[in-house]
Amino acid sequence: MTTSRPRGRDWRPGERGDVLDPRCPTRRLLDRIGTKWTSMVVKVLAEEAPDEIRFAELRRRAPGISQKMLSATLQSLVRDGLVARRVEPTVPPAVHYRLTPLGLSLEGPLSALRVWAETHMPEIDRNNQLADESPAH
Amino acid sequence: MTTSRPRGRDWRPGERGDVLDPRCPTRRLLDRIGTKWTSMVVKVLAEEAPDEIRFAELRRRAPGISQKMLSATLQSLVRDGLVARRVEPTVPPAVHYRLTPLGLSLEGPLSALRVWAETHMPEIDRNNQLADESPAH
DNA sequence: CGGTATCCTGTTCGATACTG
DNA sequence: CAGTATCGAACAGGATACCG
């Protein structure tokens, strides 16, 4: 994905790459959930729901994610209003995350996609292997 | 999305960026439908179904796509077995595309995602505007 | 008509180091 | 504990030109 949505605060609609914007909502949603860790983070959050979960625990549940990427992913989700962030002002601070109602509402379509993926990705993999074996000939 | 799946034929499982592979099927599916033009191409194909559609017509229906990207997107979909390609050996050649049954089966989950996006992206946009207005304070 | 090949820019993301 | 800052590598995808 190039020209994906800028996550920084210096974005204004009409600035760059959106000559053919407003892009369709689906495309823009995919820009969000299509980033490397977002779907996994949302899934962990959803499985934990309606309980809160802390940063470190979340990290443990998303094996392979770096601190930086978990932080960035969560900030993006919070900014979108899909995730709520609550800070307990202790020292050291304890930060809790959970899906908002909006975030939870995404779980339906998203889990449908998960089911499809689990069901059909093996077939897609087989198709790719076949394509490799007969190199267009 | 970085480290997205290599589309070329020189890929072997275990080669690069997949230290934490096998990645979950959902992530791998999103690598596919999350690329810039795939969801739009699939949508056009689905709306055209069960009829075939030609390259140029497809291009007209996906405003903004370049020849290169349409070609690449279709090749990827064909390789995955989501789209079938049929060449009429005339001169100049006429090439027709259509969703396979597998591709059609993806339409369910995908259109659920479209409905969610159309319903809720405005709210996400509002949330982002709010985040911009109160700069974390 | 339906593609390839090449060049180039922006973006994503991993690694690493530092902080309140 | 829960981040932020910085660097570098890899890649997606736009522009353009050419081809059977």
Side-chain angles (χ1 to χ4, degrees):
Chain A
M1 212 172 329
T2 294
T3 314
S4 82
R5 91 189 158 118
R7 274 206 211 19
R9 43 238 77 242
D10 50 354
W11 178 76
R12 292 298 171 271
E15 202 63 13
R16 242 265 50 100
D18 53 348
V19 182
L20 30 105
D21 266 325
R23 278 128 85 221
C24 77
T26 307
R27 188 79 274 292
R28 298 176 55 237
L29 174 62
L30 286 170
D31 276 349
R32 289 167 160 78
I33 64 176
T35 57
K36 186 161 188 183
W37 296 102
T38 301
S39 60
M40 186 181 296
V41 168
V42 169
K43 189 187 177 196
V44 172
L45 251 17
E47 285 170 352
E48 218 67 4
D51 284 13
E52 294 181 315
I53 185 174
R54 294 184 58 178
F55 188 91
E57 173 66 10
L58 199 40
R59 192 171 172 199
R60 240 165 277 132
R61 303 267 203 138
I65 197 172
S66 67
Q67 213 166 27
K68 171 190 164 185
M69 286 316 295
L70 179 54
S71 179
T73 303
L74 285 169
Q75 278 176 23
S76 182
L77 288 167
V78 168
R79 191 181 157 83
D80 287 343
L82 295 167
V83 165
R85 181 181 187 265
R86 183 175 67 83
V87 187
E88 269 178 67
T90 54
V91 275
V95 185
H96 302 255
Y97 295 92
R98 71 159 70 197
L99 290 178
T100 61
L102 183 62
L104 266 170
S105 78
L106 179 58
E107 253 301 288
L110 211 46
S111 78
L113 212 64
R114 278 190 212 110
V115 170
W116 193 94
E118 278 152 27
T119 309
H120 297 290
M121 278 307 294
E123 185 172 351
I124 289 192
D125 289 336
R126 275 198 303 281
N127 290 335
N128 276 275
Q129 285 171 359
L130 291 179
D132 282 341
E133 285 160 19
S134 52
H137 154 59
Chain B
M1 217 173 327
T2 294
T3 314
S4 81
R5 89 191 159 118
R7 274 210 210 19
R9 45 237 75 245
D10 48 357
W11 177 78
R12 290 299 170 272
E15 203 62 14
R16 245 259 57 97
D18 53 350
V19 182
L20 30 105
D21 265 327
R23 277 128 84 223
C24 77
T26 307
R27 186 82 271 292
R28 297 175 55 237
L29 174 61
L30 285 170
D31 276 350
R32 291 168 159 78
I33 64 176
T35 57
K36 186 161 188 183
W37 297 101
T38 302
S39 59
M40 185 181 297
V41 168
V42 169
K43 188 187 178 196
V44 172
L45 251 16
E47 285 169 353
E48 218 66 4
D51 284 14
E52 294 181 316
I53 184 173
R54 293 184 59 178
F55 188 91
E57 173 67 10
L58 198 41
R59 191 171 173 198
R60 240 165 279 131
R61 301 269 204 136
I65 197 171
S66 68
Q67 212 166 27
K68 172 190 164 185
M69 285 317 294
L70 179 55
S71 179
T73 302
L74 285 170
Q75 278 177 23
S76 181
L77 287 167
V78 168
R79 191 180 156 83
D80 287 341
L82 294 166
V83 165
R85 179 180 189 267
R86 184 175 68 82
V87 186
E88 268 178 67
T90 55
V91 276
V95 185
H96 302 255
Y97 295 92
R98 71 158 73 195
L99 289 179
T100 61
L102 183 61
L104 267 170
S105 78
L106 179 57
E107 253 300 289
L110 211 46
S111 78
L113 213 63
R114 278 190 212 109
V115 170
W116 193 94
E118 278 152 25
T119 309
H120 296 291
M121 278 308 294
E123 185 172 353
I124 289 191
D125 289 336
R126 275 198 303 279
N127 291 336
N128 276 275
Q129 285 171 357
L130 291 179
D132 281 342
E133 286 161 18
S134 52
H137 152 62

